[in-house]
Amino acid sequence: MKNLDMGQIREIVDCMHPVENQKDSIIIKEGDVGSLVYVMEDGKVKVSKEGQWLTNMGAGKVFGELAILYNCTRTATVRALTNCRLWAIDRQCFQSIMMRTGLLRHSEHMDFLRSVPTFKGLPEETLSKIADVLEEAHYNNGDYIIRQGARGDTFYIIAKGKVKVTKRNSKTQEDQVIRLLQKGDFFGERALQGEDVRTANIISADPTGVDCLVIDRDSYLQLISTLDDLKQIYEDEEDKAGVDTEYAKLKLGDLSMIATLGVGGFGRVELVQVNNDQSRAYALKILKKHHIVKTKQQEHI
């Protein structure tokens, strides 16, 4: 939930309803079909799988969250160790909030990208990928978004408000306003193509603050490399099927496990190295096929 914006969180909270469970009652039963996710306000619960104790949880914990993502059976049993007060939301309500707010934001981002000369000639598929990784950032009136002389790797599109562009006068050593930018204008695009030393200050100049759509160079390069190579990359992509040639011949035996990063209802994520190369590490997701088939999640996976 940590990447949701406040609007989405408020809607989710509005949709939640209180649930009370008595001591020793079962809140979630392994194998049952479930559609509710719970947030614990007060109390303590025990989590077990196939009769084996896994952990205890207290106030502030969230459980049952797979249910709001997939239509699948519960992967563990949760029993109340004390009287518990919980808040719950069902999958349909959660997904309709996410879909509505997500689609709305995605289409707004797409509209902005089509208005930027650097992007408007790109294929819809590419614009859609960029729209997916755009972050929203807010700056209060007077905040410096960019400082002259600083190194930068971020590109900004103004979604709301105005900014002023200032440059230091080499004779007087004072900053002079050279232009104002507003909604739909963009700055910092050179940072996407390589290390950029900022040539001017960009300062929020709006009483209500400025909202920007932001993309950093790493996200951008992962998606579409440099602007010059765009069209070529998209023509080639089908042949390569998106597999980096470096990993095309990789075998499971080439990987060495370093640590477990996380465990979820469908599997685990391990930190691994390739051929003991200690300069790089990767996240490897491991899924149990029989569990996926049993819960009819092949299409999701």
Side-chain angles (χ1 to χ4, degrees), residues 106-193:
H106 192 271
S107 72
E108 284 173 359
H109 290 177
M110 290 284 283
D111 288 343
F112 273 118
L113 290 173
R114 290 189 195 102
S115 72
V116 178
T118 309
F119 293 122
K120 71 178 178 190
L122 302 182
E124 285 289 293
E125 183 193 356
T126 309
L127 286 179
S128 183
K129 284 184 177 182
I130 299 172
D132 281 338
V133 297
L134 283 173
E135 299 281 343
E136 294 181 7
H138 178 79
Y139 301 93
N140 294 324
N141 195 20
D143 283 356
Y144 275 72
I145 302 170
I146 283 179
R147 285 188 186 271
Q148 186 175 348
R151 295 190 178 280
D153 67 351
T154 314
F155 168 71
Y156 303 81
I157 305 168
I158 302 170
K160 181 181 83 69
K162 291 190 173 103
V163 302
K164 62 182 179 185
V165 184
T166 70
K167 243 180 169 171
R168 179 156 295 162
N169 184 311
S170 54
K171 288 177 185 162
T172 64
Q173 291 299 302
E174 287 184 10
D175 288 343
Q176 291 180 329
V177 177
I178 51 175
R179 72 177 81 90
L180 292 173
L181 301 175
Q182 56 192 4
K183 180 178 173 176
D185 289 333
F186 59 93
F187 51 91
E189 69 279 9
R190 278 208 301 253
L192 296 181
Q193 291 163 298

Coordinates of all heavy atoms in Angstrom, one line a residue, residues 106-193:
H106 N -3.4 7.0 -15.4 CA -2.6 6.6 -16.6 C -3.0 7.4 -17.8 O -2.2 7.8 -18.6 CB -2.9 5.1 -16.8 CG -1.9 4.5 -17.8 ND1 -2.2 4.4 -19.2 CD2 -0.7 3.9 -17.7 CE1 -1.2 3.9 -19.8 NE2 -0.3 3.5 -18.9
S107 N -4.3 7.6 -18.0 CA -4.8 8.3 -19.2 C -4.4 9.8 -19.1 O -4.0 10.4 -20.1 CB -6.3 8.2 -19.4 OG -7.0 8.9 -18.4
E108 N -4.4 10.4 -17.9 CA -3.9 11.8 -17.7 C -2.4 11.8 -18.1 O -2.0 12.8 -18.8 CB -4.0 12.2 -16.2 CG -5.5 12.6 -15.9 CD -5.6 12.8 -14.4 OE1 -4.6 12.7 -13.6 OE2 -6.7 13.1 -13.9
H109 N -1.6 10.9 -17.6 CA -0.2 10.8 -17.9 C 0.0 10.7 -19.4 O 0.9 11.4 -20.0 CB 0.5 9.7 -17.2 CG 0.6 9.9 -15.7 ND1 1.2 8.9 -14.9 CD2 0.3 10.9 -14.9 CE1 1.1 9.3 -13.7 NE2 0.6 10.5 -13.6
M110 N -0.8 9.9 -20.1 CA -0.7 9.7 -21.5 C -0.9 11.0 -22.3 O -0.2 11.4 -23.2 CB -1.7 8.6 -22.0 CG -1.3 7.2 -21.6 SD 0.0 6.5 -22.5 CE -0.8 6.1 -24.1
D111 N -2.0 11.7 -21.8 CA -2.3 13.0 -22.4 C -1.1 14.0 -22.3 O -0.8 14.7 -23.3 CB -3.5 13.6 -21.8 CG -4.8 12.9 -22.2 OD1 -4.7 12.1 -23.2 OD2 -5.8 13.1 -21.5
F112 N -0.5 14.0 -21.1 CA 0.7 14.9 -20.9 C 1.8 14.5 -21.9 O 2.4 15.4 -22.5 CB 1.1 14.9 -19.5 CG 0.4 15.8 -18.6 CD1 -0.3 15.4 -17.5 CD2 0.5 17.2 -18.8 CE1 -1.0 16.3 -16.7 CE2 -0.1 18.1 -18.0 CZ -0.9 17.6 -17.0
L113 N 2.1 13.2 -22.0 CA 3.2 12.8 -22.8 C 3.0 13.2 -24.3 O 3.9 13.6 -25.0 CB 3.4 11.3 -22.6 CG 4.0 10.8 -21.3 CD1 4.0 9.3 -21.2 CD2 5.4 11.4 -21.0
R114 N 1.7 13.0 -24.7 CA 1.4 13.4 -26.1 C 1.6 14.9 -26.3 O 1.8 15.3 -27.5 CB 0.0 13.0 -26.4 CG -0.2 11.5 -26.5 CD -1.6 11.2 -27.1 NE -2.0 9.8 -26.8 CZ -2.8 9.4 -25.9 NH1 -3.4 10.3 -25.1 NH2 -3.1 8.1 -25.8
S115 N 1.6 15.7 -25.3 CA 1.8 17.1 -25.4 C 3.2 17.6 -25.4 O 3.5 18.7 -25.6 CB 1.0 17.9 -24.3 OG 1.7 17.8 -23.1
V116 N 4.1 16.6 -25.1 CA 5.6 17.0 -25.0 C 6.2 16.6 -26.4 O 6.2 15.5 -26.8 CB 6.2 16.2 -23.9 CG1 7.7 16.4 -23.8 CG2 5.6 16.5 -22.6
P117 N 6.8 17.6 -27.1 CA 7.4 17.3 -28.4 C 8.4 16.1 -28.4 O 8.4 15.3 -29.3 CB 8.2 18.6 -28.7 CG 7.5 19.7 -27.9 CD 7.0 19.0 -26.7
T118 N 9.2 16.0 -27.3 CA 10.2 14.9 -27.3 C 9.5 13.5 -27.4 O 10.0 12.6 -27.9 CB 10.9 14.9 -25.9 OG1 11.4 16.3 -25.7 CG2 12.1 14.0 -25.9
F119 N 8.2 13.4 -26.9 CA 7.5 12.2 -26.8 C 6.4 11.9 -27.8 O 6.1 10.8 -28.1 CB 6.9 12.0 -25.4 CG 7.9 11.9 -24.3 CD1 7.9 12.8 -23.2 CD2 8.9 10.9 -24.3 CE1 8.9 12.7 -22.2 CE2 9.8 10.8 -23.3 CZ 9.8 11.7 -22.3
K120 N 5.9 13.0 -28.4 CA 4.6 12.8 -29.1 C 4.7 12.0 -30.3 O 3.7 11.4 -30.8 CB 4.0 14.2 -29.4 CG 4.7 15.0 -30.5 CD 3.9 16.3 -30.7 CE 4.6 17.1 -31.8 NZ 4.0 18.5 -31.9
G121 N 5.9 11.8 -30.9 CA 6.0 10.9 -32.1 C 6.2 9.5 -31.7 O 6.3 8.6 -32.6
L122 N 6.3 9.1 -30.4 CA 6.5 7.7 -30.1 C 5.3 6.9 -30.2 O 4.2 7.4 -30.1 CB 7.0 7.7 -28.6 CG 8.2 8.5 -28.2 CD1 8.6 8.3 -26.8 CD2 9.4 8.1 -29.1
P123 N 5.5 5.6 -30.4 CA 4.3 4.7 -30.5 C 3.5 4.7 -29.2 O 4.1 4.9 -28.1 CB 4.9 3.3 -30.7 CG 6.4 3.5 -31.1 CD 6.7 4.9 -30.5
E124 N 2.2 4.4 -29.3 CA 1.3 4.4 -28.1 C 1.9 3.4 -27.0 O 1.8 3.7 -25.9 CB -0.1 4.0 -28.5 CG -0.9 5.1 -29.2 CD -1.3 6.2 -28.3 OE1 -2.1 6.0 -27.4 OE2 -0.7 7.3 -28.4
E125 N 2.4 2.3 -27.5 CA 2.9 1.3 -26.6 C 4.0 1.8 -25.7 O 4.1 1.6 -24.5 CB 3.3 0.1 -27.4 CG 3.8 -1.1 -26.6 CD 4.6 -2.2 -27.4 OE1 4.7 -2.0 -28.6 OE2 5.1 -3.1 -26.8
T126 N 4.9 2.6 -26.4 CA 6.0 3.2 -25.7 C 5.5 4.2 -24.7 O 6.0 4.3 -23.5 CB 7.0 3.8 -26.7 OG1 7.3 2.9 -27.7 CG2 8.3 4.2 -26.0
L127 N 4.6 5.1 -25.1 CA 4.1 6.1 -24.2 C 3.4 5.5 -23.0 O 3.5 6.0 -21.9 CB 3.0 7.0 -25.0 CG 3.6 8.0 -26.0 CD1 2.4 8.7 -26.7 CD2 4.5 9.0 -25.4
S128 N 2.7 4.4 -23.3 CA 2.0 3.7 -22.2 C 3.0 3.2 -21.1 O 2.8 3.3 -19.9 CB 1.2 2.5 -22.7 OG 0.5 1.9 -21.7
K129 N 4.2 2.6 -21.6 CA 5.2 2.2 -20.7 C 5.8 3.3 -19.9 O 6.0 3.2 -18.7 CB 6.3 1.5 -21.5 CG 6.0 0.1 -21.9 CD 7.2 -0.6 -22.6 CE 6.9 -2.0 -23.0 NZ 8.1 -2.6 -23.6
I130 N 6.0 4.5 -20.5 CA 6.6 5.6 -19.8 C 5.5 6.1 -18.8 O 5.9 6.4 -17.6 CB 6.9 6.8 -20.8 CG1 8.0 6.3 -21.8 CG2 7.4 8.0 -20.0 CD1 8.3 7.3 -22.9
A131 N 4.3 6.1 -19.2 CA 3.2 6.6 -18.3 C 3.2 5.7 -17.0 O 2.9 6.2 -15.9 CB 1.9 6.6 -19.0
D132 N 3.5 4.4 -17.2 CA 3.5 3.5 -16.0 C 4.5 3.8 -15.0 O 4.3 3.6 -13.8 CB 3.7 2.0 -16.5 CG 2.5 1.4 -17.1 OD1 1.4 1.9 -16.8 OD2 2.6 0.4 -17.9
V133 N 5.7 4.4 -15.4 CA 6.8 4.6 -14.5 C 6.9 6.1 -14.0 O 7.7 6.5 -13.2 CB 8.1 4.2 -15.0 CG1 8.1 2.7 -15.2 CG2 8.5 4.9 -16.2
L134 N 6.0 7.0 -14.6 CA 6.0 8.4 -14.1 C 5.6 8.4 -12.6 O 4.7 7.8 -12.2 CB 5.1 9.2 -14.9 CG 5.5 9.6 -16.4 CD1 4.3 10.3 -17.1 CD2 6.7 10.5 -16.3
E135 N 6.4 9.2 -11.9 CA 6.0 9.4 -10.5 C 5.5 10.8 -10.4 O 5.8 11.7 -11.2 CB 7.3 9.4 -9.6 CG 8.0 8.0 -9.6 CD 7.4 7.0 -8.7 OE1 6.6 7.4 -7.9 OE2 7.6 5.8 -8.9
E136 N 4.6 11.1 -9.4 CA 4.1 12.4 -9.2 C 4.8 13.1 -8.0 O 5.0 12.4 -7.0 CB 2.6 12.3 -8.9 CG 1.8 11.8 -10.1 CD 0.3 11.8 -9.9 OE1 -0.2 12.2 -8.8 OE2 -0.4 11.2 -10.7
A137 N 5.2 14.3 -8.2 CA 6.0 15.0 -7.1 C 5.3 16.4 -6.9 O 5.0 17.0 -7.9 CB 7.4 15.1 -7.5
H138 N 5.2 16.8 -5.6 CA 4.7 18.1 -5.3 C 5.8 19.0 -4.7 O 6.6 18.6 -3.9 CB 3.5 17.9 -4.3 CG 2.9 19.3 -3.9 ND1 2.0 19.9 -4.7 CD2 3.1 20.0 -2.8 CE1 1.7 21.1 -4.1 NE2 2.4 21.2 -3.0
Y139 N 5.8 20.3 -5.2 CA 6.7 21.2 -4.6 C 6.0 22.5 -4.1 O 5.1 23.0 -4.8 CB 7.7 21.7 -5.8 CG 8.5 20.5 -6.3 CD1 8.0 19.8 -7.4 CD2 9.7 20.0 -5.7 CE1 8.7 18.7 -7.9 CE2 10.4 18.9 -6.2 CZ 9.9 18.3 -7.3 OH 10.6 17.2 -7.8
N140 N 6.3 22.9 -2.9 CA 5.7 24.1 -2.4 C 6.2 25.3 -3.0 O 7.3 25.3 -3.6 CB 5.9 24.1 -0.9 CG 5.2 23.0 -0.1 OD1 4.1 22.6 -0.6 ND2 5.8 22.4 0.9
N141 N 5.5 26.4 -2.9 CA 5.9 27.7 -3.5 C 7.3 28.1 -2.9 O 7.5 28.0 -1.7 CB 4.9 28.8 -3.1 CG 5.0 30.0 -3.9 OD1 5.6 30.0 -5.0 ND2 4.5 31.2 -3.4
G142 N 8.2 28.4 -3.9 CA 9.6 28.8 -3.5 C 10.6 27.6 -3.4 O 11.8 27.9 -3.3
D143 N 10.1 26.4 -3.5 CA 11.0 25.2 -3.5 C 11.9 25.2 -4.7 O 11.4 25.5 -5.8 CB 10.2 23.9 -3.4 CG 9.7 23.6 -2.0 OD1 10.0 24.4 -1.1 OD2 9.0 22.6 -1.9
Y144 N 13.1 24.9 -4.6 CA 14.0 24.7 -5.7 C 13.8 23.2 -6.2 O 14.0 22.3 -5.5 CB 15.5 24.8 -5.3 CG 16.0 26.2 -5.4 CD1 15.6 27.2 -4.4 CD2 16.8 26.7 -6.4 CE1 16.0 28.5 -4.5 CE2 17.3 28.0 -6.4 CZ 16.9 28.9 -5.5 OH 17.3 30.2 -5.5
I145 N 13.3 23.1 -7.5 CA 13.1 21.8 -8.1 C 14.5 21.3 -8.7 O 14.9 20.2 -8.5 CB 12.0 21.8 -9.2 CG1 10.7 22.3 -8.6 CG2 11.9 20.4 -9.8 CD1 9.6 22.6 -9.6
I146 N 15.2 22.3 -9.3 CA 16.5 22.0 -9.9 C 17.4 23.2 -9.5 O 17.0 24.3 -9.5 CB 16.4 21.9 -11.4 CG1 15.9 20.6 -11.8 CG2 17.8 22.2 -12.1 CD1 15.8 20.4 -13.3
R147 N 18.7 22.9 -9.2 CA 19.7 24.0 -8.9 C 20.7 24.0 -9.9 O 21.2 23.0 -10.4 CB 20.3 23.7 -7.5 CG 19.4 24.1 -6.3 CD 20.2 24.0 -5.0 NE 19.3 24.2 -3.9 CZ 19.0 25.4 -3.4 NH1 19.5 26.5 -3.9 NH2 18.1 25.5 -2.4
Q148 N 21.0 25.2 -10.4 CA 22.1 25.4 -11.4 C 23.4 24.8 -10.9 O 23.8 25.0 -9.8 CB 22.2 26.9 -11.7 CG 23.2 27.2 -12.8 CD 23.2 28.7 -13.1 OE1 22.4 29.5 -12.6 NE2 24.2 29.1 -14.0
G149 N 24.0 24.0 -11.8 CA 25.3 23.4 -11.5 C 25.3 22.1 -10.9 O 26.3 21.3 -10.8
A150 N 24.1 21.7 -10.4 CA 23.9 20.3 -9.8 C 23.9 19.3 -10.9 O 23.5 19.6 -12.0 CB 22.7 20.3 -8.9
R151 N 24.3 18.1 -10.6 CA 24.1 17.0 -11.5 C 22.7 16.4 -11.4 O 22.2 16.3 -10.3 CB 25.1 15.9 -11.2 CG 26.6 16.4 -11.5 CD 27.6 15.2 -11.4 NE 28.9 15.7 -11.7 CZ 29.4 16.0 -12.9 NH1 28.7 15.8 -13.9 NH2 30.6 16.4 -13.0
G152 N 22.2 16.0 -12.6 CA 20.8 15.6 -12.5 C 20.5 14.3 -13.4 O 21.2 14.2 -14.4
D153 N 19.6 13.5 -13.0 CA 19.2 12.4 -13.8 C 17.7 12.3 -14.0 O 17.1 11.2 -14.2 CB 19.8 11.1 -13.2 CG 19.1 10.7 -11.9 OD1 18.4 11.6 -11.4 OD2 19.4 9.6 -11.4
T154 N 17.0 13.4 -13.8 CA 15.6 13.4 -13.7 C 15.0 14.4 -14.7 O 15.5 15.5 -14.9 CB 15.1 13.8 -12.3 OG1 15.8 13.0 -11.4 CG2 13.6 13.4 -12.1
F155 N 13.9 14.0 -15.4 CA 13.1 14.8 -16.3 C 11.8 15.1 -15.7 O 11.2 14.3 -15.1 CB 13.0 13.9 -17.6 CG 12.0 14.5 -18.6 CD1 12.3 15.7 -19.3 CD2 10.8 13.9 -18.9 CE1 11.4 16.2 -20.3 CE2 9.9 14.4 -19.8 CZ 10.2 15.5 -20.5
Y156 N 11.3 16.3 -15.9 CA 10.1 16.8 -15.3 C 9.1 17.3 -16.3 O 9.5 18.0 -17.3 CB 10.3 17.9 -14.3 CG 11.3 17.6 -13.2 CD1 12.7 17.7 -13.5 CD2 10.9 17.3 -11.9 CE1 13.6 17.4 -12.5 CE2 11.8 17.1 -10.9 CZ 13.2 17.1 -11.2 OH 14.1 16.9 -10.2
I157 N 7.8 17.0 -16.1 CA 6.7 17.6 -16.9 C 5.8 18.3 -15.9 O 5.4 17.7 -14.9 CB 5.9 16.6 -17.7 CG1 6.8 15.7 -18.6 CG2 4.8 17.3 -18.6 CD1 6.1 14.5 -19.2
I158 N 5.5 19.5 -16.1 CA 4.6 20.3 -15.2 C 3.2 19.8 -15.4 O 2.6 20.0 -16.5 CB 4.8 21.8 -15.3 CG1 6.2 22.2 -15.1 CG2 3.9 22.5 -14.3 CD1 6.5 23.7 -15.5
A159 N 2.6 19.3 -14.3 CA 1.2 18.8 -14.4 C 0.2 19.9 -13.9 O -0.9 20.0 -14.3 CB 1.0 17.6 -13.6
K160 N 0.7 20.7 -12.9 CA -0.1 21.8 -12.4 C 0.8 22.9 -11.8 O 1.8 22.6 -11.2 CB -1.0 21.2 -11.2 CG -1.9 22.3 -10.6 CD -2.7 21.6 -9.5 CE -2.0 21.6 -8.2 NZ -1.8 22.9 -7.5
G161 N 0.4 24.2 -12.1 CA 1.2 25.3 -11.5 C 2.2 25.9 -12.4 O 2.3 25.5 -13.6
K162 N 3.0 26.8 -11.9 CA 4.0 27.5 -12.6 C 5.3 27.5 -11.9 O 5.4 27.4 -10.7 CB 3.6 29.0 -12.8 CG 2.4 29.3 -13.6 CD 2.2 30.8 -13.9 CE 1.1 31.1 -14.8 NZ -0.1 31.6 -14.2
V163 N 6.4 27.5 -12.8 CA 7.8 27.6 -12.2 C 8.5 28.7 -12.9 O 8.2 29.1 -14.0 CB 8.6 26.3 -12.4 CG1 7.9 25.1 -11.8 CG2 8.9 26.0 -13.9
K164 N 9.5 29.3 -12.2 CA 10.3 30.3 -12.8 C 11.7 29.7 -13.0 O 12.2 28.9 -12.2 CB 10.4 31.6 -12.0 CG 11.0 31.5 -10.7 CD 10.9 32.9 -10.0 CE 11.5 32.8 -8.6 NZ 11.4 34.0 -7.8
V165 N 12.3 30.1 -14.2 CA 13.6 29.6 -14.5 C 14.6 30.8 -14.3 O 14.4 31.9 -14.9 CB 13.7 29.2 -16.0 CG1 15.1 28.6 -16.4 CG2 12.6 28.1 -16.3
T166 N 15.6 30.6 -13.5 CA 16.6 31.7 -13.2 C 18.0 31.2 -13.5 O 18.3 30.0 -13.4 CB 16.5 32.1 -11.7 OG1 17.0 31.1 -10.9 CG2 15.1 32.4 -11.3
K167 N 18.8 32.2 -13.9 CA 20.2 31.9 -14.2 C 21.1 32.9 -13.5 O 20.7 34.1 -13.4 CB 20.5 31.9 -15.7 CG 20.9 30.6 -16.3 CD 21.1 30.7 -17.8 CE 21.7 29.4 -18.3 NZ 21.8 29.3 -19.7
R168 N 22.3 32.5 -13.1 CA 23.2 33.4 -12.4 C 23.9 34.3 -13.5 O 24.4 33.8 -14.4 CB 24.2 32.6 -11.6 CG 25.2 33.5 -10.9 CD 25.8 32.9 -9.7 NE 24.8 32.6 -8.7 CZ 25.0 31.8 -7.7 NH1 26.0 31.0 -7.6 NH2 24.0 31.6 -6.8
N169 N 23.8 35.6 -13.2 CA 24.5 36.5 -14.1 C 26.0 36.5 -13.7 O 26.4 36.8 -12.6 CB 23.9 37.9 -13.9 CG 24.5 38.9 -14.9 OD1 25.7 39.0 -15.0 ND2 23.7 39.7 -15.5
S170 N 26.9 36.2 -14.7 CA 28.3 36.0 -14.4 C 28.9 37.4 -13.9 O 29.9 37.3 -13.2 CB 29.1 35.5 -15.6 OG 28.8 36.4 -16.7
K171 N 28.4 38.5 -14.3 CA 29.0 39.8 -13.9 C 28.5 40.2 -12.5 O 29.3 40.5 -11.6 CB 28.6 40.9 -14.8 CG 29.3 40.8 -16.2 CD 28.9 41.8 -17.2 CE 29.5 41.6 -18.5 NZ 28.8 42.3 -19.6
T172 N 27.2 40.1 -12.3 CA 26.6 40.6 -11.0 C 26.5 39.5 -9.9 O 26.3 39.7 -8.8 CB 25.2 41.2 -11.2 OG1 24.3 40.1 -11.6 CG2 25.2 42.3 -12.2
Q173 N 26.7 38.2 -10.4 CA 26.5 37.0 -9.5 C 25.2 36.9 -8.9 O 25.0 36.3 -7.8 CB 27.6 37.0 -8.4 CG 29.0 36.8 -9.0 CD 29.2 35.4 -9.7 OE1 28.9 34.4 -9.1 NE2 29.6 35.5 -10.9
E174 N 24.2 37.6 -9.5 CA 22.8 37.5 -9.0 C 22.0 36.6 -10.0 O 22.2 36.6 -11.2 CB 22.2 38.9 -8.8 CG 22.8 39.6 -7.6 CD 22.1 41.0 -7.4 OE1 21.1 41.2 -8.1 OE2 22.7 41.7 -6.6
D175 N 20.9 36.0 -9.4 CA 20.1 35.2 -10.2 C 19.1 36.1 -11.0 O 18.4 36.9 -10.4 CB 19.3 34.1 -9.4 CG 20.2 33.0 -8.9 OD1 21.3 32.9 -9.5 OD2 19.8 32.3 -8.0
Q176 N 18.9 35.8 -12.3 CA 17.9 36.6 -13.1 C 16.9 35.6 -13.6 O 17.2 34.5 -14.1 CB 18.7 37.2 -14.3 CG 19.6 38.4 -13.9 CD 20.3 39.0 -15.1 OE1 20.5 38.3 -16.1 NE2 20.6 40.3 -15.0
V177 N 15.6 36.1 -13.6 CA 14.6 35.3 -14.2 C 14.6 35.3 -15.7 O 14.6 36.4 -16.3 CB 13.2 35.8 -13.7 CG1 12.1 35.0 -14.3 CG2 13.1 35.7 -12.1
I178 N 14.7 34.2 -16.3 CA 14.8 34.2 -17.8 C 13.5 33.8 -18.5 O 13.2 34.1 -19.6 CB 16.0 33.4 -18.3 CG1 16.0 32.0 -17.7 CG2 17.3 34.0 -18.0 CD1 17.1 31.1 -18.3
R179 N 12.7 33.0 -17.8 CA 11.4 32.6 -18.3 C 10.5 32.0 -17.3 O 11.0 31.6 -16.2 CB 11.5 31.7 -19.6 CG 11.9 30.3 -19.3 CD 11.9 29.5 -20.6 NE 13.1 29.7 -21.4 CZ 14.2 29.0 -21.2 NH1 14.2 28.0 -20.3 NH2 15.3 29.2 -21.9
L180 N 9.2 31.9 -17.6 CA 8.3 31.2 -16.7 C 7.8 30.0 -17.5 O 7.6 30.0 -18.7 CB 7.1 32.1 -16.3 CG 7.4 33.3 -15.4 CD1 6.2 34.1 -15.3 CD2 7.8 32.8 -14.0
L181 N 7.6 28.9 -16.8 CA 7.0 27.7 -17.4 C 5.7 27.3 -16.7 O 5.6 27.5 -15.5 CB 8.0 26.5 -17.4 CG 9.4 26.7 -18.0 CD1 10.3 25.5 -17.7 CD2 9.2 26.9 -19.5
Q182 N 4.8 26.6 -17.4 CA 3.5 26.3 -16.8 C 3.1 24.9 -17.2 O 3.8 24.2 -17.9 CB 2.5 27.3 -17.2 CG 2.3 27.5 -18.7 CD 1.5 28.7 -19.1 OE1 1.1 29.5 -18.2 NE2 1.2 28.9 -20.3
K183 N 1.8 24.5 -16.9 CA 1.3 23.2 -17.1 C 1.6 22.8 -18.6 O 1.3 23.5 -19.5 CB -0.2 23.2 -16.9 CG -0.9 21.9 -17.1 CD -2.4 22.0 -16.8 CE -3.1 20.7 -17.2 NZ -4.5 20.7 -16.9
G184 N 2.1 21.6 -18.7 CA 2.4 21.0 -20.1 C 3.8 21.3 -20.5 O 4.3 20.6 -21.4
D185 N 4.5 22.3 -19.9 CA 5.9 22.5 -20.2 C 6.7 21.5 -19.5 O 6.3 20.9 -18.6 CB 6.3 23.9 -19.8 CG 5.7 25.0 -20.6 OD1 5.4 24.8 -21.8 OD2 5.5 26.2 -20.1
F186 N 8.0 21.3 -20.0 CA 8.8 20.3 -19.4 C 10.3 20.8 -19.3 O 10.6 21.8 -20.0 CB 8.8 19.0 -20.2 CG 9.2 19.2 -21.6 CD1 10.5 18.9 -22.0 CD2 8.3 19.5 -22.6 CE1 10.9 19.1 -23.3 CE2 8.7 19.7 -23.9 CZ 10.0 19.5 -24.3
F187 N 11.1 20.2 -18.5 CA 12.5 20.6 -18.3 C 13.3 19.4 -17.8 O 12.8 18.5 -17.3 CB 12.6 21.8 -17.4 CG 11.9 21.6 -16.0 CD1 12.6 21.1 -14.9 CD2 10.6 22.0 -15.9 CE1 12.0 20.9 -13.7 CE2 10.0 21.9 -14.6 CZ 10.7 21.3 -13.6
G188 N 14.6 19.5 -18.1 CA 15.5 18.5 -17.6 C 15.6 17.3 -18.5 O 16.1 16.2 -18.2
E189 N 15.1 17.4 -19.8 CA 15.0 16.3 -20.7 C 16.4 15.7 -21.1 O 16.6 14.6 -21.4 CB 14.2 16.6 -22.0 CG 14.8 17.6 -22.9 CD 14.5 19.0 -22.5 OE1 14.0 19.3 -21.4 OE2 14.8 19.9 -23.3
R190 N 17.5 16.6 -21.0 CA 18.8 16.2 -21.4 C 19.3 15.1 -20.4 O 20.2 14.3 -20.7 CB 19.8 17.4 -21.4 CG 19.7 18.1 -22.8 CD 21.0 18.8 -23.0 NE 21.4 19.7 -22.0 CZ 21.4 21.0 -22.1 NH1 21.0 21.6 -23.2 NH2 21.7 21.8 -21.0
A191 N 18.8 15.1 -19.2 CA 19.2 14.2 -18.2 C 18.9 12.8 -18.6 O 19.5 11.8 -18.0 CB 18.6 14.5 -16.8
L192 N 17.9 12.6 -19.5 CA 17.5 11.2 -19.8 C 18.5 10.6 -20.7 O 18.6 9.4 -20.9 CB 16.1 11.2 -20.5 CG 14.9 11.7 -19.7 CD1 13.7 11.7 -20.5 CD2 14.8 10.9 -18.4
Q193 N 19.3 11.4 -21.4 CA 20.2 10.8 -22.4 C 21.6 10.7 -21.9 O 22.5 10.1 -22.6 CB 20.2 11.7 -23.7 CG 18.8 11.6 -24.4 CD 18.6 12.7 -25.4 OE1 18.5 13.8 -25.0 NE2 18.5 12.3 -26.6

